[in-house]
Structure formats: structure tokens, C-alpha cells
Amino acid sequence: MKGILLAGGNGTRLLPLTLVGSKQLAPVYDKPMVYYPLSVLMLTGIDDVLIIARPAEIGLFRKLFGDGSRLGMRIDYAPQEQPQGIADAFLVGARHIKGEDCALILGDNLFHGARLPSLLRRTVRELRGCALFGHQVAEPRHFGVAEIDAKGQLISIEEKPDHPRSNLAIPGLYFFDDTVTDVARGLRPSVRGELEITDVLRAYLAEGRADLVWLGRGVTWLDAGTHESLLDAGRFVRDIQHRQGICLGCIEEIAMYMGFIDAEACYRLGAEMKSSPYGQYVMRSARAHQLNPTPSKFLEE
């Protein structure tokens, strides 16, 4: 499965912060925002990722990740000249997908939960068209909303409805089979002139090939696209890390535990940042794994 990380858009909800750069490079506590969605793709088992960004910022993402080889991955980049909707990612990334199944994640979405990695991989194994996720929220009007029937089957999808039919918001993480590019090419732009992700989801739903996966209370989802939610995300990451002694979105550690790189390579990556608490954590994690190479804590089913 290929991965697409959409880090384009103008970030207008975060102005004036985004006048000088991409919101996905803004810090969420101790690391750039983009680390968190990338880590979700890695936990799914994906090691081939395309990052889509504004042309002026491609170089910044490339400086951050290079070609991905240091993480045992392949990371490519593609410019999105103008923000034309989430589904435009499938057209920009058509050559990257190359007829394979793919995962799409938005660059301002954060997920955390002990059961999340196994849930993601199970969803990939059971994929039969399209899989979207549902997460209960207090104010669903601000999101895409999924409606389910008494048996828990997906029956409708609405985009930011004034009168939501449920409180199940749809986070910015989706899995699709190899027909998604053709589906996106067949869409008509919305009144805003954009290719809407909800239209892609509805196309799969109309064919009976869309499944809703319930994230449940054990998984936290945060959309860090506003000033308040960006601050909330930073506080959440800080609190979890301080209380539990773990590091959320630590791509070097995840690469090691997923088997993309070995412990020695992980340690070297940490040593390059040894003056920071983040780098020191990476070094400790690598040494701990060398001394006790237990099965990956991220691979538990």
C-alpha cells in the first residue's frame, strides 16, 4: 500500500502564522506537526510515501525528510499549485499510486491510542474498496459526518451539515483500493471549485464498497488546523509524554520498531540531535531495544 500525506493548502485558519510557511511545519510541542500523520502511515506498515505541498515549501519538507532512506523508507514530493480540494491529492499523486491501494492522511491530523496500530493494519487487510473512520465529537457540524443504521452500517455521508444526522465525525484518514484515481477523475468540482473527498467517499458508498471503522474511546483524534486546536494538540502531546514517558510521533523509534531500520541506525539518528530531549529519547529507545530486542510494541494485535 502506498501513502499520501497532504500538506498543501493555504492554512488560512492559522493566519498570520501561515504567512511565513506551511502549517504542517508548525511545532506541536517538540516536533513539527507533519511528524504525527507520517507516523500514522508508518504504523500502518507503509514505507513508501508521497508528500504533497505548496511549491514554495517542497524544499523545506525535503530538508526535513530527504528521500526517506535514513528512516528505511521512500519519501517523494509533489507540488500542489493551488488548493483544489482533498480529492485533488489522488490526481496529483496518480503516478505515485500507480494502480495500488493507498492511504491518504491530512497533514494537520493527529491520532493516538494503544489499539490504533493493530486497528489500522486490520483495516488494510479487510479493505474491500474504501475505509473511512468515525470518531464521536461534540460539534459534528465542523466536519464531514457519517450516518449509520441500527446495525452499524454506513448509510450516508455529509460535509459540514447544519443539522448533522449523527455525532460521528470523519477524520482526515482514509484507505482506498486501486480504483480511487479513476473515481477522482470522474468527479465534478464543487461550487467552491474543489474536488471534495466526501464525493469520493459517496461514490464508493453508492457501489456498496465503503466501510466505516469506529475508532472508539481508546483512540484520540485531533485536528490541529486552528489556533485553539493547535494549542490543544501541543498540550495533549506534552501531557502524554510527561506522564507516560513515551514520545508521540517519534518517527525514528517507529521506524526501528516497524523494522524499517535497525537499532544502531536509530541511535545514530538520535545522536544527531543529542542536544535536545527528543534526540536523547531516540538514543535511549535505541539502546533499550539493543539490550532487550523484544517484539515491536507497535505490532501487537
Side-chain angles (χ1 to χ4, degrees):
M1 175 173 277
K2 298 291 186 70
I4 295 179
L5 198 163
L6 184 56
N10 292 324
T12 54
R13 292 184 298 168
L14 282 173
L15 288 171
L17 174 65
T18 46
L19 287 175
V20 293
S22 167
K23 71 176 176 180
Q24 290 85 6
L25 295 175
V28 176
Y29 189 52
D30 60 349
K31 61 190 77 69
M33 184 189 298
V34 69
Y35 273 44
Y36 300 94
L38 179 61
S39 71
V40 171
L41 295 179
M42 295 169 69
L43 289 170
T44 306
I46 296 171
D47 60 5
D48 192 346
V49 175
L50 177 71
I51 296 178
I52 298 175
R54 293 189 294 189
E57 289 150 2
I58 289 286
L60 298 176
F61 286 98
R62 192 182 299 276
K63 183 176 181 180
L64 193 59
F65 300 122
D67 63 2
S69 58
R70 286 156 54 87
L71 294 169
M73 301 176 65
R74 176 178 176 178
I75 299 179
D76 292 321
Y77 306 87
Q80 187 181 43
E81 300 295 337
Q82 295 292 334
Q84 298 184 43
I86 295 172
D88 184 53
F90 301 118
L91 305 185
V92 175
R95 293 181 61 185
H96 173 74
I97 299 172
K98 293 180 180 177
E100 294 188 34
D101 296 349
C102 75
L104 170 65
I105 191 166
L106 305 188
D108 58 2
N109 276 225
L110 287 72
F111 298 84
H112 174 66
R115 60 187 290 268
L116 180 64
S118 60
L119 177 65
L120 295 173
R121 289 190 291 273
R122 184 170 69 250
T123 302
V124 169
R125 290 195 301 268
E126 297 175 356
L127 185 67
R128 64 184 187 93
C130 158
L132 57 149
F133 295 85
H135 193 277
Q136 186 172 320
V137 298
E139 292 291 341
R141 291 176 300 168
H142 303 303
F143 307 99
V145 176
E147 180 188 10
I148 57 177
D149 61 20
K151 296 181 180 180
Q153 298 298 309
L154 180 67
I155 58 175
S156 77
I157 299 167
E158 299 179 285
E159 179 64 24
K160 298 180 181 178
D162 291 331
H163 304 286
R165 298 177 182 176
S166 81
N167 62 352
L168 282 179
I170 302 173
L173 172 63
Y174 322 87
F175 294 144
F176 295 96
D177 67 8
D178 58 2
T179 67
V180 67
T181 301
D182 293 333
V183 172
R185 287 189 177 123
L187 296 180
R188 291 183 178 180
S190 67
V191 293
R192 297 186 300 173
E194 298 183 350
L195 298 179
E196 303 287 355
I197 189 65
T198 48
D199 289 337
V200 175
L201 300 175
R202 288 193 192 105
Y204 276 92
L205 179 59
E207 297 176 357
R209 298 193 300 129
D211 293 314
L212 180 77
V213 180
W214 172 250
L215 287 178
R217 295 186 178 183
V219 176
T220 297
W221 163 54
L222 298 170
D223 176 345
T226 68
H227 295 103
E228 285 297 318
S229 61
L230 181 62
L231 181 60
D232 289 343
R235 287 171 171 166
F236 175 81
V237 172
R238 179 201 61 189
D239 290 347
I240 292 292
Q241 292 188 174
H242 283 195
R243 293 175 183 178
Q244 299 185 15
I246 61 175
C247 187
L248 275 61
C250 182
I251 56 177
E252 296 84 2
E253 180 186 37
I254 293 172
M256 176 181 68
Y257 276 107
M258 293 300 296
F260 298 171
I261 59 175
D262 60 24
E264 190 57 41
C266 181
Y267 184 87
R268 289 196 299 270
L269 293 175
E272 294 176 5
M273 301 176 282
K274 62 183 179 181
S275 297
S276 71
Y278 181 87
Q280 294 160 16
Y281 173 88
V282 173
M283 294 167 66
R284 289 196 305 272
S285 181
R287 283 292 181 249
H289 188 60
Q290 283 181 318
L291 295 173
N292 184 23
T294 55
S296 171
K297 56 188 175 183
F298 298 118
L299 293 176
E300 297 175 358
E301 295 291 343

